[in-house]
Amino acid sequence: MQPAPAKWYDRPDCVFVEFCVEDSKDVHVQFDKSKIDFCCVSGADNIKHQNTLDLFAEIDPKGSKHRRTGRSVLCCLRKAEGGKAWPRLTKDKPKCNWLSVDFSNWKDWEDDSDEDMSRYDKFSEMMNCMEGDDLCDLDEHYSPDGDDE
């Protein structure tokens, strides 16, 4: 087994972790208060991946969800204490070679404008309607390029 490459970013009420595994199957994500365990099989070669993250702060396991796509597994970790920034994802300061910050989605949300928060609220609503692999109509809720309806 090998760790799956992952990237993460912080938001006011959630932290998002995206495990970059194509054509994943047998996906298992277990959310605990202070850690998350991820494992799956990916690709035509059936490569087994396993990652364990000891988190920087506590999450709400029941409010946390995941969604599998063809290219990745996106996990939404609901913070136990919303509104508090996470400067890093893990408790340990040493960097994991398979984990990176998703700079294309990272921003200093503590200084967000009302317009930016409205966009976040739509994304948050979309994440709230997730039930494992079942999704609501994503286009109805959020457009990543900001062209919301």
Side-chain angles (χ1 to χ4, degrees), residues 5-88:
K7 50 189 178 178
W8 76 282
Y9 58 98
D10 186 31
R11 287 294 186 265
D13 295 321
C14 300
V15 172
F16 293 90
V17 181
E18 184 175 18
F19 293 97
C20 305
V21 287
E22 289 194 37
D23 302 324
S24 60
K25 54 190 171 225
D26 298 331
V27 174
H28 299 283
V29 182
Q30 181 169 344
F31 301 105
D32 293 319
K33 278 188 163 194
S34 60
K35 76 175 189 172
I36 121 174
D37 287 309
F38 169 82
C39 65
C40 76
V41 176
S42 73
D45 296 334
N46 290 322
I47 299 169
K48 293 180 181 179
H49 297 281
Q50 181 171 0
N51 301 60
T52 299
L53 291 164
D54 291 317
L55 300 170
F56 173 77
E58 289 191 352
I59 62 169
D60 172 8
K62 292 182 181 178
S64 299
K65 301 173 183 180
H66 75 279
R67 175 184 150 215
R68 186 186 69 77
T69 68
R71 293 185 183 174
S72 66
V73 177
L74 179 64
C75 298
C76 174
L77 313 179
R78 172 83 47 199
K79 293 179 182 178
E81 189 177 339
K84 189 174 181 180
W86 286 26
R88 61 182 184 274

Side-chain angles (χ1 to χ4, degrees), residues 83-107:
K84 189 174 181 180
W86 286 26
R88 61 182 184 274
L89 181 62
T90 60
K91 268 186 188 173
D92 298 327
K93 287 187 180 183
K95 188 178 181 207
C96 302
N97 61 355
W98 51 266
L99 181 64
S100 64
V101 172
D102 183 354
F103 287 107
S104 61
N105 284 307
W106 188 275
K107 64 189 215 175

Side-chain angles (χ1 to χ4, degrees), residues 104-105 107 115-116 118-120 122-123 139 141-149:
S104 61
N105 284 307
K107 64 189 215 175
E115 180 183 326
D116 289 338
S118 171
R119 205 173 288 150
Y120 167 77
K122 287 181 181 182
F123 186 71
D139 294 332
H141 295 285
Y142 179 75
S143 173
D145 59 4
D147 293 336
D148 300 325
E149 294 176 352

